[in-house]
Protein backbone atom coordinates (compact mmCIF):
# COMPACT_ATOMS: atom_id res chain seq x y z
CA UNK A 1 0.00 0.00 0.00
CA UNK A 2 1.46 3.43 -0.89
CA UNK A 3 2.33 5.64 2.06
CA UNK A 4 3.29 9.24 2.69
CA UNK A 5 5.41 10.56 5.56
CA UNK A 6 3.55 12.70 8.13
CA UNK A 7 5.26 15.01 10.60
CA UNK A 8 3.22 17.04 13.09
CA UNK A 9 5.29 19.76 14.73
CA UNK A 10 4.22 22.09 17.55
CA UNK A 11 6.29 24.98 18.98
CA UNK A 12 7.42 22.63 21.79
CA UNK A 13 8.01 19.33 20.08
CA UNK A 14 7.77 16.86 17.24
CA UNK A 15 4.33 15.56 18.21
CA UNK A 16 3.92 12.77 15.68
CA UNK A 17 5.85 11.08 12.91
CA UNK A 18 4.72 8.10 10.81
CA UNK A 19 4.30 6.70 7.33
CA UNK A 20 0.57 6.91 6.72
CA UNK A 21 -1.99 6.01 4.03
CA UNK A 22 -4.15 9.13 4.26
CA UNK A 23 -4.65 12.31 6.28
CA UNK A 24 -7.98 14.08 6.66
CA UNK A 25 -7.86 17.64 8.02
CA UNK A 26 -10.16 20.63 8.42
CA UNK A 27 -8.65 23.49 6.45
CA UNK A 28 -9.89 27.03 5.97
CA UNK A 29 -11.15 25.87 2.55
CA UNK A 30 -13.03 22.86 3.97
CA UNK A 31 -12.15 19.25 4.64
CA UNK A 32 -9.09 17.96 2.78
CA UNK A 33 -8.01 14.38 2.26
CA UNK A 34 -4.34 13.93 1.45
CA UNK A 35 -3.13 10.73 -0.20
CA UNK A 36 0.41 9.72 -1.21
CA UNK A 37 1.67 11.57 -4.31
CA UNK A 38 -0.62 14.55 -3.69
CA UNK A 39 0.28 17.68 -5.63
CA UNK A 40 2.32 20.21 -3.62
CA UNK A 41 0.16 22.64 -1.65
CA UNK A 42 -0.04 24.78 1.47
CA UNK A 43 -3.24 25.08 3.51
CA UNK A 44 -4.30 26.93 6.65
CA UNK A 45 -5.73 24.61 9.29
CA UNK A 46 -8.65 25.17 11.66
CA UNK A 47 -8.98 23.48 15.05
CA UNK A 48 -9.80 19.82 14.40
CA UNK A 49 -9.20 16.20 15.27
CA UNK A 50 -7.07 15.19 12.26
CA UNK A 51 -7.74 11.67 11.04
CA UNK A 52 -4.57 9.73 10.36
CA UNK A 53 -5.17 6.53 8.43
CA UNK A 54 -2.51 3.87 8.79
CA UNK A 55 -2.40 0.44 7.16
CA UNK A 56 -4.76 -1.28 9.61
CA UNK A 57 -6.15 1.40 11.91
CA UNK A 58 -6.90 5.09 12.31
CA UNK A 59 -5.60 7.61 14.87
CA UNK A 60 -6.90 11.04 15.82
CA UNK A 61 -4.56 13.96 16.53
CA UNK A 62 -5.92 17.21 17.96
CA UNK A 63 -4.62 20.31 16.19
CA UNK A 64 -5.35 23.80 17.51
CA UNK A 65 -4.72 25.41 14.11
CA UNK A 66 -1.72 26.18 11.92
CA UNK A 67 -0.45 25.29 8.48
CA UNK A 68 0.02 22.17 6.42
CA UNK A 69 2.63 21.82 3.70
CA UNK A 70 2.12 18.93 1.29
CA UNK A 71 4.81 17.46 -0.93
CA UNK A 72 4.24 14.24 -2.94
CA UNK A 73 6.17 12.17 -0.38
CA UNK A 74 5.71 14.21 2.83
CA UNK A 75 3.09 16.15 4.79
CA UNK A 76 4.27 18.64 7.39
CA UNK A 77 1.73 20.04 9.85
CA UNK A 78 3.00 23.10 11.71
CA UNK A 79 0.52 23.51 14.53
CA UNK A 80 0.13 26.23 17.15
CA UNK A 81 -0.56 23.25 19.46
CA UNK A 82 -1.10 19.56 18.75
CA UNK A 83 -1.59 16.45 20.85
CA UNK A 84 -2.03 12.75 20.23
CA UNK A 85 -4.96 11.19 22.12
CA UNK A 86 -2.73 9.89 24.90
CA UNK A 87 -1.21 13.36 25.51
CA UNK A 88 -4.60 14.99 26.07
CA UNK A 89 -5.92 15.72 29.55
CA UNK A 90 -9.67 15.19 29.05
CA UNK A 91 -10.63 17.00 32.26
CA UNK A 92 -8.72 20.11 31.19
CA UNK A 93 -10.30 19.92 27.72
CA UNK A 94 -13.80 19.55 29.20
CA UNK A 95 -13.20 22.56 31.49
CA UNK A 96 -11.98 24.64 28.52
CA UNK A 97 -15.05 23.54 26.55
CA UNK A 98 -17.48 24.46 29.36
CA UNK A 99 -15.74 27.81 29.95
CA UNK A 100 -15.93 28.79 26.27
CA UNK A 101 -19.54 27.61 25.97
CA UNK A 102 -20.55 29.61 29.04
CA UNK A 103 -18.90 32.77 27.60
CA UNK A 104 -20.72 32.32 24.30
CA UNK A 105 -24.07 31.76 26.06
CA UNK A 106 -23.54 34.78 28.32
CA UNK A 107 -22.82 36.97 25.32
CA UNK A 108 -25.79 35.64 23.32
CA UNK A 109 -28.20 36.15 26.20
CA UNK A 110 -27.30 39.85 26.63
CA UNK A 111 -24.77 41.11 24.04
CA UNK A 112 -24.84 44.72 25.27
CA UNK A 113 -23.99 43.60 28.83
CA UNK A 114 -21.03 41.47 27.69
CA UNK A 115 -19.10 43.73 25.33
CA UNK A 116 -15.92 42.52 27.01
CA UNK A 117 -16.37 38.99 25.63
CA UNK A 118 -14.32 38.34 22.49
CA UNK A 119 -16.65 35.98 20.63
CA UNK A 120 -14.11 35.02 17.98
CA UNK A 121 -11.68 33.99 20.70
CA UNK A 122 -14.41 32.10 22.58
CA UNK A 123 -15.48 30.21 19.44
CA UNK A 124 -11.89 29.21 18.67
CA UNK A 125 -11.36 28.06 22.28
CA UNK A 126 -14.56 26.00 22.00
CA UNK A 127 -13.36 24.42 18.74
CA UNK A 128 -9.92 23.59 20.20
CA UNK A 129 -11.53 21.95 23.22
CA UNK A 130 -14.05 20.07 21.02
CA UNK A 131 -11.17 18.79 18.84
CA UNK A 132 -9.32 17.53 21.95
CA UNK A 133 -12.44 15.83 23.32
CA UNK A 134 -13.05 14.20 19.95
CA UNK A 135 -9.45 12.98 19.66
CA UNK A 136 -9.47 11.57 23.18
CA UNK A 137 -12.85 9.84 22.72
CA UNK A 138 -11.62 8.18 19.55
CA UNK A 139 -14.95 8.96 17.90
CA UNK A 140 -14.90 11.03 14.75
P1 LIG B 1 -6.63 25.79 28.04
O1 LIG B 1 -7.65 26.88 28.25
O2 LIG B 1 -6.98 24.53 28.76
O3 LIG B 1 -5.20 26.23 28.23
P2 LIG B 1 -6.33 26.23 25.21
O4 LIG B 1 -7.15 25.73 24.05
O5 LIG B 1 -6.37 27.70 25.44
O6 LIG B 1 -6.78 25.38 26.49
P3 LIG B 1 -3.86 26.10 23.78
O7 LIG B 1 -3.52 27.56 23.78
O8 LIG B 1 -4.43 25.51 22.50
O9 LIG B 1 -4.81 25.75 25.02
O10 LIG B 1 -2.56 25.23 24.17
C1 LIG B 1 -1.61 25.68 25.12
C2 LIG B 1 -0.71 24.49 25.47
O11 LIG B 1 -1.43 23.59 26.33
C3 LIG B 1 -0.25 23.67 24.28
O12 LIG B 1 1.05 23.20 24.53
C4 LIG B 1 -1.25 22.51 24.24
O13 LIG B 1 -0.67 21.35 23.64
C5 LIG B 1 -1.53 22.30 25.72
N1 LIG B 1 -2.88 21.83 26.01
C6 LIG B 1 -4.02 22.55 25.95
N2 LIG B 1 -5.10 21.81 26.33
C7 LIG B 1 -4.61 20.59 26.64
C8 LIG B 1 -5.21 19.37 27.10
N3 LIG B 1 -6.52 19.26 27.31
N4 LIG B 1 -4.40 18.30 27.31
C9 LIG B 1 -3.08 18.39 27.09
N5 LIG B 1 -2.44 19.50 26.67
C10 LIG B 1 -3.19 20.59 26.42
Amino acid sequence: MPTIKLEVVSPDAMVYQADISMLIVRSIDGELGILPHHAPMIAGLLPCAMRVKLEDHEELIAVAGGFMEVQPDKITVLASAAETAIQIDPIRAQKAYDRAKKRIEEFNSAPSKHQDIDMNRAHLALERAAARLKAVSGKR
Side-chain angles (χ1 to χ4, degrees), residues 10-12 64 80-83 87-96 99 124-126 128-129 132:
S10 79
D12 316 322
S80 52
E83 306 91 30
Q87 294 169 332
I88 294 170
D89 173 350
I91 294 170
R92 176 174 169 183
Q94 187 65 53
K95 281 186 181 160
R99 209 164 47 238
L124 286 170
L126 188 74
R128 289 196 301 274
R132 288 179 175 122

Side-chain angles (χ1 to χ4, degrees), residues 98-124:
D98 293 345
R99 209 164 47 238
K101 196 151 184 283
K102 185 161 168 261
R103 285 206 181 101
I104 292 166
E105 283 169 1
E106 274 173 3
F107 181 87
N108 285 338
S109 67
S112 57
K113 258 176 63 184
H114 295 288
Q115 303 267 353
D116 55 320
I117 293 178
D118 180 338
M119 284 293 273
N120 190 38
R121 187 174 159 191
H123 276 291
L124 286 170

Side-chain angles (χ1 to χ4, degrees), residues 5 16 37 61 81 126 132 134 136-137:
K5 194 174 283 298
Y16 186 88
H37 312 300
I61 301 177
L126 188 74
R132 288 179 175 122
K134 197 189 267 192
V136 89
S137 78

Side-chain angles (χ1 to χ4, degrees), residues 37-88:
H37 312 300
H38 194 285
M41 69 174 287
I42 289 184
L45 300 184
L46 296 173
C48 64
M50 292 195 311
R51 287 169 57 195
V52 180
K53 294 195 177 202
L54 296 122
E55 201 178 345
D56 53 359
H57 71 290
E58 188 171 308
E59 291 177 22
L60 295 173
I61 301 177
V63 172
F67 291 93
M68 172 179 70
E69 186 202 17
V70 179
Q71 293 295 331
D73 60 349
K74 185 175 177 187
I75 305 167
T76 307
V77 171
L78 290 173
S80 52
E83 306 91 30
T84 59
I86 204 165
Q87 294 169 332
I88 294 170

